[in-house]
Amino acid sequence: MKKFLCVLILLPILLINTVNVDIAKAVDWTNVTWNVMGDSLTDPNNTLATKKYYDYIQEDMHIKKVNIYGISGSTVSNNSNPMSERYINMDNGADLITVFTGFNDFSRNVPLGNSYDTTNNTYYGALDVLLKGLVQKFPNKKIGLISMYAFSQYPVNNQFGIPDYAYVNAEIDVCNRYKVKHLNLYEMDSMNLATDGSKYRAFQNHLNNQGHEHLAEIMEPFIESL
């Protein structure tokens, strides 16, 4: 009798897991349009790598179309070519939207702000503007934010005495607020350019082709989970 009860308890769990797997497999990526936003790591004009992470992903997942919105030096805040403003001009018909960011807001000493900020002159506020805007512009679409990885070019703290990981924590906080999934590269040893990931490093903190390929391998299951 006990064994029978265990089977009855486990059956709904197995069915739920099966449904989740089936839904993931059911996505026809050949019909998906992907908006890719970011800074120099996403900028197609950045020649430090001849093939970017989105090229590898599109090729492997057979994604129909990739719209690239990467600008070198771009910040989320209003410091430089702000993503919190540029998202407005992205293709409305996209099914998948990812934002890969954080480097420049930290290195350009953008004030971190706090979780109550709602304007893009601080990092917290800019994230709020960006993510709130994305979920409104792309309702019921797949949206994900990818954090910076660990690096060694800059001091641990910026001129405000704020450590780089505080900017990653801000991303996690605001993503949770808007129920946007977050991929935390900062915590991954294989992406740490100062240690394990040093083989992926090009000039300064940019990635070489091998680094972009490794990033793509990490991002694919994340994208499939959105």
Side-chain angles (χ1 to χ4, degrees):
M1 182 65 176
K2 288 182 179 179
K3 289 182 179 179
F4 181 68
L5 287 174
C6 288
V7 171
L8 288 177
I9 292 169
L10 287 172
L11 186 58
I13 297 172
L14 291 171
L15 287 173
I16 290 170
N17 288 337
T18 301
V19 169
N20 288 338
V21 170
D22 288 344
I23 289 172
K25 288 181 178 178
V27 176
D28 183 0
W29 297 101
T30 63
N31 286 324
V32 167
T33 296
W34 179 16
N35 284 350
V36 182
M37 176 165 277
D39 47 37
S40 56
L41 273 299
T42 305
D43 190 341
N45 297 312
N46 179 357
T47 59
L48 292 172
T50 57
K51 194 171 182 179
K52 307 296 193 298
Y53 65 91
Y54 46 81
D55 296 317
Y56 288 105
I57 294 172
Q58 182 181 26
E59 183 179 281
D60 192 51
M61 296 179 67
H62 309 290
I63 293 174
K64 178 180 72 173
K65 182 181 180 183
V66 179
N67 298 315
I68 306 168
Y69 301 95
I71 299 179
S72 294
S74 179
T75 55
V76 180
S77 68
N78 62 0
N79 182 281
S80 175
N81 289 310
M83 298 180 209
S84 54
E85 297 174 11
R86 291 198 289 116
Y87 81 89
I88 296 171
N89 298 318
M90 290 199 295
D91 179 6
N92 291 328
D95 312 285
L96 168 66
I97 302 92
T98 60
V99 181
F100 181 21
T101 190
F103 296 96
N104 293 322
D105 289 274
F106 166 74
S107 64
R108 289 173 179 265
N109 301 297
V110 170
L112 182 63
N114 59 63
S115 60
Y116 300 104
D117 291 347
T118 56
T119 58
N120 69 350
N121 58 335
T122 68
Y123 195 53
Y124 258 109
L127 287 168
D128 186 82
V129 172
L130 174 62
L131 295 182
K132 181 179 180 180
L134 287 176
V135 298
Q136 290 178 346
K137 182 178 174 69
F138 302 101
N140 303 315
K141 301 299 183 180
K142 300 175 183 295
I143 303 173
L145 191 143
I146 300 95
S147 75
M148 69 173 105
Y149 41 76
F151 46 81
S152 60
Q153 179 189 351
Y154 304 106
V156 175
N157 300 333
N158 62 15
Q159 71 176 20
F160 296 114
I162 302 172
D164 51 7
Y165 62 79
Y167 290 76
V168 177
N169 289 340
E171 293 165 8
I172 295 170
D173 288 345
V174 182
C175 280
N176 287 338
R177 180 185 309 163
Y178 289 104
K179 296 179 173 57
V180 171
K181 284 197 174 182
H182 176 262
L183 177 60
N184 190 349
L185 299 179
Y186 190 87
E187 296 295 332
M188 296 185 180
D189 291 339
S190 69
M191 287 298 299
N192 187 332
L193 299 194
T195 55
D196 295 10
S198 59
K199 61 182 174 292
Y200 301 135
R201 182 175 184 168
F203 177 70
Q204 294 181 335
N205 291 311
H206 293 90
L207 299 176
N208 54 28
N209 279 25
Q210 189 181 3
H212 277 274
E213 184 175 16
H214 180 61
L215 175 58
E217 291 169 350
I218 294 171
M219 282 183 62
E220 279 191 25
F222 173 71
I223 287 173
E224 291 172 341
S225 75
L226 296 177

